Amino acid sequence: MDTHDGAWSEIELTVTVKAYPAISTKHRETVCVAGIQEGLLGSASHIRLYPVPFRDLPFEVRFRKWDRVRVRVRRPRNDSRPESHSIDASTIELLGHLGPERNWQARRPVVDQLHRYSMCELQAAQKADGTSLGLVVPDEVLDFTVEDREEDEREEARRYLASQPTLFDDDKAGLPLVEAIPYYFRYRFRCADCAPGKSPHHMSIIDWEIHQAYRSWRDQYGADQVLERLRTKWLEEICAPDRDTMFFTGNMHQHPGSFLVLGCWWPPR
Ligand SMILES: [Zn+2]
């Protein structure tokens, strides 16, 4: 068990992103969650909750994206990123849900309080003060790419699964394992501050939604159609000209200079 230095405090947040569970870590199948904590005077900041033992939570507090949540948090000793907090999962309370009705009207005032970064600007902020979460405006989305995961990474996941008796116990109990998805899904884009001649940003999309879509559409439409359907949704719909598309992004704990797309914010213009 890790020890922690921070003092507990109670916060309220709006959940904006849930990452697909990581299985090749020391934590048993846990989920990284990020959200927006509203402050005084119309300010708001990003907050990261990790780890969240999602499957161990009672069903009634398994929050969704855009839920309003109250929970006790503290700063972890082993993650110095300024936005990171560990949680006391037994204190989670759901306060309500911000739905998509009337062109996402309920969600806009919350997201509108956030600073909007260009990707290059966020990378500079990370170097300067450790900023590790940000809402990014992709000036021009060039492509949605799909690549096979490297064999060594899949092998690492297999080794990890083999070393975790609790996962197999769960499996026997009839709970589905989180599936190691065989692809990387990525956006290629230019931001407003990309230097001419510099290669575009190319960032993995790690949200729960795209991985769940992969699993359910593969079963529904078959392996030969699923990638095309993902491309249609994540490129043509989410990045359509009539959408004000932005990315919730965050960096990797062990590789602070590497950022990932944690989720999309794509309200109708
Ligand atoms: Zn850039």
Side-chain angles (χ1 to χ4, degrees):
M1 199 64 189
D2 295 327
T3 55
H4 299 78
D5 293 327
W8 289 109
S9 63
E10 186 177 83
I11 62 155
E12 292 178 9
L13 72 148
T14 302
V15 177
T16 50
V17 299
K18 272 167 71 178
Y20 193 70
I23 52 172
S24 59
T25 72
K26 70 188 167 108
H27 297 293
R28 173 176 172 272
E29 189 189 310
T30 52
V31 175
C32 173
V33 168
I36 300 169
Q37 187 182 7
E38 289 175 76
L40 300 170
L41 304 172
S43 69
S45 51
H46 294 275
I47 184 165
R48 173 189 292 104
L49 306 181
Y50 184 80
V52 178
F54 214 73
R55 194 163 57 186
D56 297 340
L57 296 178
F59 187 77
E60 61 276 12
V61 296
R62 286 186 197 178
F63 47 79
R64 297 178 289 158
K65 288 206 314 195
W66 302 106
D67 277 352
R68 300 267 309 135
V69 174
R70 181 185 296 143
V71 63
R72 273 159 59 85
V73 301
R74 62 182 171 182
R75 292 281 293 138
R77 186 178 56 84
N78 52 4
D79 183 349
S80 61
R81 292 176 295 182
E83 306 90 343
S84 293
H85 290 76
S86 54
I87 68 165
D88 177 351
S90 71
T91 66
I92 294 173
E93 286 176 75
L94 301 192
L95 307 175
H97 181 76
L98 306 181
E101 299 79 14
R102 286 170 297 167
N103 286 339
W104 304 19
Q105 193 177 57
R107 298 171 182 176
R108 291 175 191 255
V110 181
V111 178
D112 284 350
Q113 294 173 48
L114 295 170
H115 179 73
R116 297 175 179 194
Y117 289 93
S118 75
M119 194 58 231
C120 286
E121 184 191 5
L122 180 59
Q123 286 169 327
Q126 194 284 321
K127 285 197 183 79
D129 62 11
T131 299
S132 72
L133 291 170
L135 180 64
V136 161
V137 180
D139 195 46
E140 187 188 2
V141 179
L142 305 168
D143 206 359
F144 170 84
T145 66
V146 178
E147 287 142 53
D148 290 336
R149 277 187 193 270
E150 285 100 6
E151 180 54 34
D152 57 349
E153 187 189 326
R154 296 164 78 174
E155 178 57 31
E156 185 195 343
R158 274 195 293 272
R159 266 203 309 275
Y160 173 77
L161 288 168
S163 70
Q164 296 295 307
T166 56
L167 288 169
F168 291 108
D169 290 348
D170 286 349
D171 200 26
K172 282 182 202 128
L175 290 167
L177 285 175
V178 164
E179 185 183 338
I181 304 293
Y183 299 109
Y184 293 114
F185 307 113
R186 291 191 174 122
Y187 277 126
R188 195 190 301 278
F189 64 97
R190 285 193 173 282
C191 81
D193 294 318
C194 281
K198 176 182 173 287
S199 48
H201 303 284
H202 195 201
M203 285 167 38
S204 291
I205 308 165
I206 63 158
D207 72 345
W208 191 296
E209 220 170 325
I210 193 167
H211 293 92
Q212 279 305 115
Y214 169 80
R215 294 168 76 179
S216 73
W217 292 351
R218 178 194 54 194
D219 294 348
Q220 194 177 347
Y221 304 112
D224 53 335
Q225 277 193 42
V226 59
L227 298 180
E228 197 50 43
R229 284 183 182 266
L230 288 172
R231 181 185 173 83
T232 300
K233 164 91 186 208
W234 263 266
L235 190 61
E236 290 166 30
E237 294 176 25
I238 290 181
C239 302
D242 64 345
R243 298 284 178 156
D244 204 7
T245 308
M246 294 174 225
F247 301 145
F248 289 110
T249 66
N251 71 357
M252 299 168 76
H253 187 197
Q254 307 300 339
H255 305 281
S258 297
F259 277 80
L260 309 163
V261 175
L262 308 177
C264 298
W265 167 247
W266 48 297
R269 278 190 198 275

